[in-house]
Amino acid sequence: MTESDLRDLLCELGASLFARGYSVGSAGNISVRLPDGYLMTPTNSSLGRLDPARISKLAPDWSHLGGDKPSKEVFLHRAVLTARPEAGAVVHLHSTCATAIGCLAAPGEDAPIPPLTPYFVMRVGRRLPIVPYYRPGDSAMEPAVHQAALEARALLLANHGPVVSGKTLVDAVYTAEELEESAKLALMLRGMPARELTPAQVDDLLSTFG
Ligand code: 13P
């Protein structure tokens, strides 16, 4: 895809996430890896009203090259894209249910959402680490996020929201959506005797779908 196509797709998918309530106000940010740097949503922008011409462009060393000022979460995106060279995009949302799981006092280490459905396992994987709370935009989060991203495709920022990587922008968005819906199921079923997928079923999904 050309950079121009990716700018258009970023705006289209941002608007779709916003329209369906996965982000509200100016919450959330998205980055895309390019051959010559990165695209990033501008700080304080609504995912619902992005302008392709104003998307921030960053150089390979993450310095600001053009467009509006990038998201304050540039350290977050850098940590994930550096840890996962195969990732082409990162989506950070404040989607309600995934954020709620990250607010639980005892969410369950590395697997705060149980494997209830195949698509959660196929898209998010076995592990969903929770990174301790940092102020939004705090560069001090970078080592902790980097470490979590080495081990997992998606993570939760405690008391803040989900961060998801994907091979492509579309993959990252689909995974962010699946994570939010899985978090909703987990909260709906909390306290009920739910039937989780067995370890053998999880292994089967991961070996079949990667
Ligand atoms: P930006 O507006 O700087 O992207 O920050 C929004 C956000 O989601 C903070 O986590």
Side-chain angles (χ1 to χ4, degrees):
M1 275 184 118
T2 65
E3 180 179 327
S4 168
D5 290 339
L6 283 168
R7 284 174 181 266
D8 290 344
L9 185 61
L10 183 44
C11 297
E12 178 191 326
L13 293 174
S16 169
L17 287 168
F18 187 86
R20 290 175 294 138
Y22 290 100
S23 73
V24 297
S26 64
N29 29 73
I30 302 176
S31 62
V32 181
R33 194 195 298 274
L34 298 172
D36 63 344
Y38 306 90
L39 293 177
M40 183 161 292
T41 50
T43 191
N44 296 323
S45 59
S46 164
L47 294 189
R49 291 182 294 119
L50 294 169
D51 175 348
R54 294 179 62 179
I55 301 256
S56 315
K57 175 133 186 211
L58 306 180
D61 69 357
W62 295 88
S63 56
H64 185 200
L65 282 180
D68 288 352
K69 186 174 174 211
S71 170
K72 68 172 87 59
E73 301 291 17
V74 63
F75 306 105
L76 171 66
H77 291 257
R78 182 168 75 179
V80 177
L81 287 168
T82 304
R84 303 187 74 78
E86 78 286 4
V90 172
V91 175
H92 164 54
L93 299 172
H94 298 174
S95 54
T96 310
C97 296
T99 303
I101 298 272
C103 294
L104 292 174
E109 198 176 320
D110 279 355
I113 298 178
L116 292 164
T117 67
Y119 266 72
F120 172 71
V121 175
M122 287 153 59
R123 289 221 170 266
V124 175
R126 212 187 287 273
R127 308 189 59 199
L128 181 65
I130 300 190
V131 172
Y133 176 78
Y134 290 88
R135 189 184 67 239
D138 186 351
S139 63
M141 79 174 76
E142 193 161 357
V145 172
H146 187 268
Q147 185 56 42
L150 287 174
E151 299 156 13
R153 228 174 279 160
L155 55 95
L156 296 178
L157 299 175
N159 299 76
H160 184 166
V163 182
V164 170
S165 64
K167 217 176 272 174
T168 65
L169 175 56
V170 167
D171 276 336
V173 168
Y174 286 178
T175 300
E177 293 176 8
E178 197 66 42
L179 172 55
E180 175 60 13
E181 298 311 310
S182 301
K184 193 183 294 177
L185 284 176
L187 293 173
M188 285 170 77
L189 292 168
R190 238 169 118 79
M192 295 186 199
R195 182 177 53 249
E196 294 181 14
L197 297 180
T198 65
Q201 288 167 333
V202 170
D203 288 345
D204 172 55
L205 287 165
L206 292 175
S207 62
T208 305
F209 297 104

